[in-house]
Amino acid sequence: AQSVTQLGSHVSVSEGALVLLRCNYSSSVPPYLFWYVQYPNQGLQLLLKYTSAATLVKGINGFEAEFKKSETSFHLTKPSAHMSDAAEYFCAVSTSGTYKYIFGTGTRLKVLA
Amino acid sequence: GAGVSQTPSNKVTEKGKYVELRCDPISGHTALYWYRQSLGQGPEFLIYFQGTGAADDSGLPNDRFFAVRPEGSVSTLKIQRTERGDSAVYLCASSPAPRSSGANVLTFGAGSRLTVL
């Protein structure tokens, strides 16, 4: 069975500071991993994905994530937070053949001026 | 269409009523998914269609929930005898055919917010 754990339901950072959102996964087979962002009253938008190629994945809006098999982690980072990054972020896992996503409970990012 | 379209965007109904939520996927996407997102939670899988058939309906909470996709494009999620606990945002997503480019990436619609009074 697959699962995703996102540590920290709420994270606050100052504008210009590093953003780090944590995601740990559990999967009995090689996983596909995703980060989605959800702005208020909008659908989920794909930020980036890991599908067994390069372990450091770059996404949109300056975000990136590193797949670490030994730590079963896929943390999302951005060097410098912008006010427009305030949103809810979801980590998800799936496997080849099903493409059914299992989502974490989400982390709401607040950016302070 | 250019994206996944869901209607209605908001639906308020009374307990015990019947509700239908519609999803129009991206043209050419053979896979279609329904998820439910309750307040403060991540999306939870309900059902997955490959073409016209439900390939996996293991997430449907009970027999009050049913979904169809008769022509392999538009899908309708049907909820009978609604309960207050059914209140949530119902998300639809689609993706290309398995083993094709981008097959593992889901594109989501904006969702249908259901409120059961």
Side-chain angles (χ1 to χ4, degrees), chain A residues 39-70:
Chain A
Y39 298 101
N41 300 315
Q42 294 187 29
L44 294 160
Q45 179 182 359
L46 180 68
L47 271 180
L48 48 82
K49 63 177 182 178
Y50 166 77
T51 56
S52 76
T55 57
L56 181 62
V57 181
K58 294 188 183 298
I60 62 171
N61 301 337
F63 284 94
E64 62 182 38
E66 186 172 9
F67 172 68
K68 292 187 177 180
K69 184 178 179 180
S70 61

PDB file of all heavy atoms in Angstrom, chain A residues 39-70:
ATOM      1  N   TYR A  39      -4.418  27.123  -5.363  1.00  0.00           N
ATOM      2  CA  TYR A  39      -4.755  28.478  -4.941  1.00  0.00           C
ATOM      3  C   TYR A  39      -6.230  28.510  -4.570  1.00  0.00           C
ATOM      4  O   TYR A  39      -7.010  27.672  -5.029  1.00  0.00           O
ATOM      5  CB  TYR A  39      -4.428  29.467  -6.061  1.00  0.00           C
ATOM      6  CG  TYR A  39      -2.963  29.502  -6.414  1.00  0.00           C
ATOM      7  CD1 TYR A  39      -2.474  28.838  -7.535  1.00  0.00           C
ATOM      8  CD2 TYR A  39      -2.053  30.185  -5.614  1.00  0.00           C
ATOM      9  CE1 TYR A  39      -1.126  28.850  -7.845  1.00  0.00           C
ATOM     10  CE2 TYR A  39      -0.702  30.203  -5.918  1.00  0.00           C
ATOM     11  CZ  TYR A  39      -0.252  29.524  -7.027  1.00  0.00           C
ATOM     12  OH  TYR A  39       1.087  29.525  -7.329  1.00  0.00           O
ATOM     13  N   PRO A  40      -6.627  29.462  -3.752  1.00  0.00           N
ATOM     14  CA  PRO A  40      -8.021  29.523  -3.291  1.00  0.00           C
ATOM     15  C   PRO A  40      -9.012  29.465  -4.440  1.00  0.00           C
ATOM     16  O   PRO A  40      -8.866  30.180  -5.442  1.00  0.00           O
ATOM     17  CB  PRO A  40      -8.074  30.871  -2.554  1.00  0.00           C
ATOM     18  CG  PRO A  40      -6.682  31.086  -2.078  1.00  0.00           C
ATOM     19  CD  PRO A  40      -5.798  30.521  -3.156  1.00  0.00           C
ATOM     20  N   ASN A  41      -9.987  28.589  -4.299  1.00  0.00           N
ATOM     21  CA  ASN A  41     -11.074  28.447  -5.270  1.00  0.00           C
ATOM     22  C   ASN A  41     -10.585  28.054  -6.665  1.00  0.00           C
ATOM     23  O   ASN A  41     -11.264  28.341  -7.660  1.00  0.00           O
ATOM     24  CB  ASN A  41     -11.901  29.737  -5.350  1.00  0.00           C
ATOM     25  CG  ASN A  41     -12.524  30.076  -4.017  1.00  0.00           C
ATOM     26  OD1 ASN A  41     -13.076  29.217  -3.344  1.00  0.00           O
ATOM     27  ND2 ASN A  41     -12.400  31.328  -3.611  1.00  0.00           N
ATOM     28  N   GLN A  42      -9.440  27.413  -6.721  1.00  0.00           N
ATOM     29  CA  GLN A  42      -8.927  26.940  -7.995  1.00  0.00           C
ATOM     30  C   GLN A  42      -8.607  25.448  -7.910  1.00  0.00           C
ATOM     31  O   GLN A  42      -8.547  24.878  -6.827  1.00  0.00           O
ATOM     32  CB  GLN A  42      -7.685  27.715  -8.410  1.00  0.00           C
ATOM     33  CG  GLN A  42      -7.932  29.182  -8.712  1.00  0.00           C
ATOM     34  CD  GLN A  42      -6.714  29.866  -9.292  1.00  0.00           C
ATOM     35  OE1 GLN A  42      -5.884  29.245  -9.956  1.00  0.00           O
ATOM     36  NE2 GLN A  42      -6.604  31.165  -9.061  1.00  0.00           N
ATOM     37  N   GLY A  43      -8.405  24.845  -9.081  1.00  0.00           N
ATOM     38  CA  GLY A  43      -8.059  23.435  -9.129  1.00  0.00           C
ATOM     39  C   GLY A  43      -6.598  23.215  -8.788  1.00  0.00           C
ATOM     40  O   GLY A  43      -5.829  24.153  -8.605  1.00  0.00           O
ATOM     41  N   LEU A  44      -6.221  21.961  -8.696  1.00  0.00           N
ATOM     42  CA  LEU A  44      -4.839  21.589  -8.424  1.00  0.00           C
ATOM     43  C   LEU A  44      -3.996  21.791  -9.680  1.00  0.00           C
ATOM     44  O   LEU A  44      -4.386  21.390 -10.771  1.00  0.00           O
ATOM     45  CB  LEU A  44      -4.774  20.127  -8.008  1.00  0.00           C
ATOM     46  CG  LEU A  44      -5.436  19.789  -6.685  1.00  0.00           C
ATOM     47  CD1 LEU A  44      -5.742  18.315  -6.603  1.00  0.00           C
ATOM     48  CD2 LEU A  44      -4.541  20.214  -5.538  1.00  0.00           C
ATOM     49  N   GLN A  45      -2.836  22.394  -9.488  1.00  0.00           N
ATOM     50  CA  GLN A  45      -1.932  22.661 -10.607  1.00  0.00           C
ATOM     51  C   GLN A  45      -0.618  21.932 -10.366  1.00  0.00           C
ATOM     52  O   GLN A  45      -0.041  22.033  -9.284  1.00  0.00           O
ATOM     53  CB  GLN A  45      -1.693  24.169 -10.723  1.00  0.00           C
ATOM     54  CG  GLN A  45      -0.751  24.567 -11.846  1.00  0.00           C
ATOM     55  CD  GLN A  45      -0.497  26.071 -11.889  1.00  0.00           C
ATOM     56  OE1 GLN A  45      -1.029  26.828 -11.094  1.00  0.00           O
ATOM     57  NE2 GLN A  45       0.320  26.503 -12.824  1.00  0.00           N
ATOM     58  N   LEU A  46      -0.146  21.207 -11.369  1.00  0.00           N
ATOM     59  CA  LEU A  46       1.092  20.455 -11.217  1.00  0.00           C
ATOM     60  C   LEU A  46       2.287  21.397 -11.119  1.00  0.00           C
ATOM     61  O   LEU A  46       2.483  22.260 -11.967  1.00  0.00           O
ATOM     62  CB  LEU A  46       1.282  19.521 -12.406  1.00  0.00           C
ATOM     63  CG  LEU A  46       2.553  18.659 -12.383  1.00  0.00           C
ATOM     64  CD1 LEU A  46       2.481  17.628 -11.268  1.00  0.00           C
ATOM     65  CD2 LEU A  46       2.757  17.985 -13.738  1.00  0.00           C
ATOM     66  N   LEU A  47       3.092  21.214 -10.049  1.00  0.00           N
ATOM     67  CA  LEU A  47       4.327  21.972  -9.879  1.00  0.00           C
ATOM     68  C   LEU A  47       5.504  21.228 -10.492  1.00  0.00           C
ATOM     69  O   LEU A  47       6.324  21.805 -11.198  1.00  0.00           O
ATOM     70  CB  LEU A  47       4.628  22.159  -8.392  1.00  0.00           C
ATOM     71  CG  LEU A  47       4.069  23.360  -7.663  1.00  0.00           C
ATOM     72  CD1 LEU A  47       4.517  23.318  -6.217  1.00  0.00           C
ATOM     73  CD2 LEU A  47       4.518  24.660  -8.319  1.00  0.00           C
ATOM     74  N   LEU A  48       5.599  19.929 -10.150  1.00  0.00           N
ATOM     75  CA  LEU A  48       6.698  19.121 -10.658  1.00  0.00           C
ATOM     76  C   LEU A  48       6.394  17.653 -10.415  1.00  0.00           C
ATOM     77  O   LEU A  48       5.494  17.320  -9.653  1.00  0.00           O
ATOM     78  CB  LEU A  48       8.036  19.505 -10.008  1.00  0.00           C
ATOM     79  CG  LEU A  48       8.085  19.632  -8.499  1.00  0.00           C
ATOM     80  CD1 LEU A  48       8.243  18.284  -7.831  1.00  0.00           C
ATOM     81  CD2 LEU A  48       9.237  20.553  -8.067  1.00  0.00           C
ATOM     82  N   LYS A  49       7.177  16.797 -11.084  1.00  0.00           N
ATOM     83  CA  LYS A  49       6.973  15.358 -10.942  1.00  0.00           C
ATOM     84  C   LYS A  49       8.309  14.622 -10.992  1.00  0.00           C
ATOM     85  O   LYS A  49       9.255  15.058 -11.661  1.00  0.00           O
ATOM     86  CB  LYS A  49       6.073  14.831 -12.059  1.00  0.00           C
ATOM     87  CG  LYS A  49       6.679  14.995 -13.453  1.00  0.00           C
ATOM     88  CD  LYS A  49       5.790  14.404 -14.531  1.00  0.00           C
ATOM     89  CE  LYS A  49       6.461  14.561 -15.899  1.00  0.00           C
ATOM     90  NZ  LYS A  49       5.655  13.957 -16.985  1.00  0.00           N
ATOM     91  N   TYR A  50       8.369  13.496 -10.274  1.00  0.00           N
ATOM     92  CA  TYR A  50       9.502  12.588 -10.349  1.00  0.00           C
ATOM     93  C   TYR A  50       8.986  11.258 -10.889  1.00  0.00           C
ATOM     94  O   TYR A  50       8.052  10.675 -10.347  1.00  0.00           O
ATOM     95  CB  TYR A  50      10.114  12.362  -8.954  1.00  0.00           C
ATOM     96  CG  TYR A  50      11.045  11.185  -8.929  1.00  0.00           C
ATOM     97  CD1 TYR A  50      12.331  11.284  -9.459  1.00  0.00           C
ATOM     98  CD2 TYR A  50      10.629   9.950  -8.428  1.00  0.00           C
ATOM     99  CE1 TYR A  50      13.169  10.185  -9.477  1.00  0.00           C
ATOM    100  CE2 TYR A  50      11.472   8.849  -8.431  1.00  0.00           C
ATOM    101  CZ  TYR A  50      12.731   8.975  -8.970  1.00  0.00           C
ATOM    102  OH  TYR A  50      13.560   7.882  -8.990  1.00  0.00           O
ATOM    103  N   THR A  51       9.640  10.803 -11.990  1.00  0.00           N
ATOM    104  CA  THR A  51       9.196   9.543 -12.593  1.00  0.00           C
ATOM    105  C   THR A  51      10.387   8.656 -12.930  1.00  0.00           C
ATOM    106  O   THR A  51      10.453   8.061 -13.997  1.00  0.00           O
ATOM    107  CB  THR A  51       8.370   9.801 -13.867  1.00  0.00           C
ATOM    108  OG1 THR A  51       9.156  10.601 -14.764  1.00  0.00           O
ATOM    109  CG2 THR A  51       7.082  10.513 -13.551  1.00  0.00           C
ATOM    110  N   SER A  52      11.315   8.568 -11.991  1.00  0.00           N
ATOM    111  CA  SER A  52      12.465   7.660 -12.040  1.00  0.00           C
ATOM    112  C   SER A  52      13.589   8.130 -12.954  1.00  0.00           C
ATOM    113  O   SER A  52      14.460   7.354 -13.291  1.00  0.00           O
ATOM    114  CB  SER A  52      12.053   6.232 -12.412  1.00  0.00           C
ATOM    115  OG  SER A  52      11.786   6.127 -13.795  1.00  0.00           O
ATOM    116  N   ALA A  53      13.588   9.363 -13.341  1.00  0.00           N
ATOM    117  CA  ALA A  53      14.712   9.910 -14.111  1.00  0.00           C
ATOM    118  C   ALA A  53      15.644  10.630 -13.120  1.00  0.00           C
ATOM    119  O   ALA A  53      16.032  10.062 -12.118  1.00  0.00           O
ATOM    120  CB  ALA A  53      14.220  10.825 -15.212  1.00  0.00           C
ATOM    121  N   ALA A  54      15.975  11.862 -13.371  1.00  0.00           N
ATOM    122  CA  ALA A  54      16.860  12.609 -12.475  1.00  0.00           C
ATOM    123  C   ALA A  54      16.228  12.754 -11.099  1.00  0.00           C
ATOM    124  O   ALA A  54      15.031  12.998 -10.981  1.00  0.00           O
ATOM    125  CB  ALA A  54      17.143  13.988 -13.058  1.00  0.00           C
ATOM    126  N   THR A  55      17.029  12.618 -10.056  1.00  0.00           N
ATOM    127  CA  THR A  55      16.477  12.692  -8.697  1.00  0.00           C
ATOM    128  C   THR A  55      16.196  14.115  -8.260  1.00  0.00           C
ATOM    129  O   THR A  55      15.360  14.334  -7.378  1.00  0.00           O
ATOM    130  CB  THR A  55      17.444  12.049  -7.693  1.00  0.00           C
ATOM    131  OG1 THR A  55      18.719  12.709  -7.796  1.00  0.00           O
ATOM    132  CG2 THR A  55      17.620  10.568  -7.970  1.00  0.00           C
ATOM    133  N   LEU A  56      16.854  15.102  -8.864  1.00  0.00           N
ATOM    134  CA  LEU A  56      16.546  16.504  -8.576  1.00  0.00           C
ATOM    135  C   LEU A  56      15.645  17.005  -9.696  1.00  0.00           C
ATOM    136  O   LEU A  56      16.038  17.034 -10.861  1.00  0.00           O
ATOM    137  CB  LEU A  56      17.827  17.333  -8.497  1.00  0.00           C
ATOM    138  CG  LEU A  56      17.627  18.808  -8.165  1.00  0.00           C
ATOM    139  CD1 LEU A  56      16.980  18.976  -6.791  1.00  0.00           C
ATOM    140  CD2 LEU A  56      18.948  19.557  -8.229  1.00  0.00           C
ATOM    141  N   VAL A  57      14.461  17.381  -9.320  1.00  0.00           N
ATOM    142  CA  VAL A  57      13.454  17.764 -10.299  1.00  0.00           C
ATOM    143  C   VAL A  57      13.156  19.247 -10.175  1.00  0.00           C
ATOM    144  O   VAL A  57      12.900  19.740  -9.073  1.00  0.00           O
ATOM    145  CB  VAL A  57      12.151  16.963 -10.075  1.00  0.00           C
ATOM    146  CG1 VAL A  57      11.116  17.350 -11.110  1.00  0.00           C
ATOM    147  CG2 VAL A  57      12.429  15.468 -10.107  1.00  0.00           C
ATOM    148  N   LYS A  58      13.191  19.921 -11.286  1.00  0.00           N
ATOM    149  CA  LYS A  58      12.851  21.349 -11.293  1.00  0.00           C
ATOM    150  C   LYS A  58      11.441  21.525 -11.840  1.00  0.00           C
ATOM    151  O   LYS A  58      11.042  20.852 -12.805  1.00  0.00           O
ATOM    152  CB  LYS A  58      13.865  22.116 -12.139  1.00  0.00           C
ATOM    153  CG  LYS A  58      15.267  22.109 -11.541  1.00  0.00           C
ATOM    154  CD  LYS A  58      16.200  23.028 -12.286  1.00  0.00           C
ATOM    155  CE  LYS A  58      17.620  22.942 -11.719  1.00  0.00           C
ATOM    156  NZ  LYS A  58      17.679  23.360 -10.294  1.00  0.00           N
ATOM    157  N   GLY A  59      10.704  22.416 -11.190  1.00  0.00           N
ATOM    158  CA  GLY A  59       9.339  22.652 -11.606  1.00  0.00           C
ATOM    159  C   GLY A  59       9.096  24.099 -11.982  1.00  0.00           C
ATOM    160  O   GLY A  59      10.023  24.863 -12.229  1.00  0.00           O
ATOM    161  N   ILE A  60       7.820  24.456 -11.964  1.00  0.00           N
ATOM    162  CA  ILE A  60       7.464  25.824 -12.323  1.00  0.00           C
ATOM    163  C   ILE A  60       7.639  26.757 -11.139  1.00  0.00           C
ATOM    164  O   ILE A  60       7.733  26.309  -9.992  1.00  0.00           O
ATOM    165  CB  ILE A  60       6.018  25.893 -12.848  1.00  0.00           C
ATOM    166  CG1 ILE A  60       5.025  25.454 -11.762  1.00  0.00           C
ATOM    167  CG2 ILE A  60       5.856  25.040 -14.098  1.00  0.00           C
ATOM    168  CD1 ILE A  60       3.573  25.699 -12.123  1.00  0.00           C
ATOM    169  N   ASN A  61       7.697  28.050 -11.435  1.00  0.00           N
ATOM    170  CA  ASN A  61       7.745  29.098 -10.414  1.00  0.00           C
ATOM    171  C   ASN A  61       8.953  28.985  -9.489  1.00  0.00           C
ATOM    172  O   ASN A  61       8.909  29.452  -8.347  1.00  0.00           O
ATOM    173  CB  ASN A  61       6.460  29.095  -9.557  1.00  0.00           C
ATOM    174  CG  ASN A  61       5.218  29.315 -10.396  1.00  0.00           C
ATOM    175  OD1 ASN A  61       5.289  29.869 -11.499  1.00  0.00           O
ATOM    176  ND2 ASN A  61       4.081  28.887  -9.891  1.00  0.00           N
ATOM    177  N   GLY A  62      10.039  28.383  -9.962  1.00  0.00           N
ATOM    178  CA  GLY A  62      11.274  28.324  -9.184  1.00  0.00           C
ATOM    179  C   GLY A  62      11.333  27.217  -8.149  1.00  0.00           C
ATOM    180  O   GLY A  62      12.286  27.147  -7.374  1.00  0.00           O
ATOM    181  N   PHE A  63      10.342  26.359  -8.100  1.00  0.00           N
ATOM    182  CA  PHE A  63      10.334  25.259  -7.146  1.00  0.00           C
ATOM    183  C   PHE A  63      11.152  24.076  -7.656  1.00  0.00           C
ATOM    184  O   PHE A  63      11.257  23.864  -8.857  1.00  0.00           O
ATOM    185  CB  PHE A  63       8.899  24.800  -6.870  1.00  0.00           C
ATOM    186  CG  PHE A  63       8.134  25.718  -5.968  1.00  0.00           C
ATOM    187  CD1 PHE A  63       7.333  26.723  -6.484  1.00  0.00           C
ATOM    188  CD2 PHE A  63       8.211  25.568  -4.588  1.00  0.00           C
ATOM    189  CE1 PHE A  63       6.635  27.581  -5.652  1.00  0.00           C
ATOM    190  CE2 PHE A  63       7.514  26.416  -3.744  1.00  0.00           C
ATOM    191  CZ  PHE A  63       6.727  27.429  -4.274  1.00  0.00           C
ATOM    192  N   GLU A  64      11.695  23.325  -6.733  1.00  0.00           N
ATOM    193  CA  GLU A  64      12.364  22.082  -7.070  1.00  0.00           C
ATOM    194  C   GLU A  64      12.193  21.093  -5.918  1.00  0.00           C
ATOM    195  O   GLU A  64      11.844  21.476  -4.795  1.00  0.00           O
ATOM    196  CB  GLU A  64      13.845  22.278  -7.389  1.00  0.00           C
ATOM    197  CG  GLU A  64      14.696  22.808  -6.273  1.00  0.00           C
ATOM    198  CD  GLU A  64      16.146  22.998  -6.731  1.00  0.00           C
ATOM    199  OE1 GLU A  64      16.376  23.413  -7.888  1.00  0.00           O
ATOM    200  OE2 GLU A  64      17.040  22.726  -5.913  1.00  0.00           O
ATOM    201  N   ALA A  65      12.424  19.818  -6.235  1.00  0.00           N
ATOM    202  CA  ALA A  65      12.305  18.776  -5.214  1.00  0.00           C
ATOM    203  C   ALA A  65      13.336  17.703  -5.509  1.00  0.00           C
ATOM    204  O   ALA A  65      13.687  17.455  -6.657  1.00  0.00           O
ATOM    205  CB  ALA A  65      10.907  18.178  -5.211  1.00  0.00           C
ATOM    206  N   GLU A  66      13.811  17.070  -4.444  1.00  0.00           N
ATOM    207  CA  GLU A  66      14.813  16.024  -4.589  1.00  0.00           C
ATOM    208  C   GLU A  66      14.275  14.710  -4.066  1.00  0.00           C
ATOM    209  O   GLU A  66      13.824  14.623  -2.919  1.00  0.00           O
ATOM    210  CB  GLU A  66      16.103  16.382  -3.847  1.00  0.00           C
ATOM    211  CG  GLU A  66      17.221  15.374  -4.105  1.00  0.00           C
ATOM    212  CD  GLU A  66      18.545  15.828  -3.543  1.00  0.00           C
ATOM    213  OE1 GLU A  66      18.584  16.842  -2.814  1.00  0.00           O
ATOM    214  OE2 GLU A  66      19.550  15.149  -3.825  1.00  0.00           O
ATOM    215  N   PHE A  67      14.333  13.677  -4.905  1.00  0.00           N
ATOM    216  CA  PHE A  67      13.926  12.339  -4.508  1.00  0.00           C
ATOM    217  C   PHE A  67      15.092  11.677  -3.780  1.00  0.00           C
ATOM    218  O   PHE A  67      16.186  11.543  -4.329  1.00  0.00           O
ATOM    219  CB  PHE A  67      13.557  11.509  -5.741  1.00  0.00           C
ATOM    220  CG  PHE A  67      13.306  10.059  -5.471  1.00  0.00           C
ATOM    221  CD1 PHE A  67      12.202   9.669  -4.739  1.00  0.00           C
ATOM    222  CD2 PHE A  67      14.178   9.085  -5.947  1.00  0.00           C
ATOM    223  CE1 PHE A  67      11.960   8.328  -4.490  1.00  0.00           C
ATOM    224  CE2 PHE A  67      13.939   7.734  -5.697  1.00  0.00           C
ATOM    225  CZ  PHE A  67      12.820   7.356  -4.963  1.00  0.00           C
ATOM    226  N   LYS A  68      14.851  11.279  -2.523  1.00  0.00           N
ATOM    227  CA  LYS A  68      15.864  10.583  -1.736  1.00  0.00           C
ATOM    228  C   LYS A  68      15.299   9.240  -1.305  1.00  0.00           C
ATOM    229  O   LYS A  68      14.534   9.162  -0.334  1.00  0.00           O
ATOM    230  CB  LYS A  68      16.275  11.418  -0.525  1.00  0.00           C
ATOM    231  CG  LYS A  68      17.039  12.688  -0.878  1.00  0.00           C
ATOM    232  CD  LYS A  68      17.565  13.385   0.363  1.00  0.00           C
ATOM    233  CE  LYS A  68      18.391  14.602  -0.016  1.00  0.00           C
ATOM    234  NZ  LYS A  68      18.921  15.310   1.183  1.00  0.00           N
ATOM    235  N   LYS A  69      15.715   8.211  -2.014  1.00  0.00           N
ATOM    236  CA  LYS A  69      15.168   6.876  -1.756  1.00  0.00           C
ATOM    237  C   LYS A  69      15.504   6.405  -0.346  1.00  0.00           C
ATOM    238  O   LYS A  69      14.656   5.814   0.344  1.00  0.00           O
ATOM    239  CB  LYS A  69      15.705   5.886  -2.787  1.00  0.00           C
ATOM    240  CG  LYS A  69      15.125   4.491  -2.676  1.00  0.00           C
ATOM    241  CD  LYS A  69      15.658   3.595  -3.762  1.00  0.00           C
ATOM    242  CE  LYS A  69      15.095   2.188  -3.633  1.00  0.00           C
ATOM    243  NZ  LYS A  69      15.625   1.282  -4.698  1.00  0.00           N
ATOM    244  N   SER A  70      16.737   6.686   0.107  1.00  0.00           N
ATOM    245  CA  SER A  70      17.160   6.202   1.422  1.00  0.00           C
ATOM    246  C   SER A  70      16.344   6.827   2.548  1.00  0.00           C
ATOM    247  O   SER A  70      16.188   6.220   3.614  1.00  0.00           O
ATOM    248  CB  SER A  70      18.641   6.495   1.631  1.00  0.00           C
ATOM    249  OG  SER A  70      18.873   7.887   1.584  1.00  0.00           O
TER     250      SER A  70
END
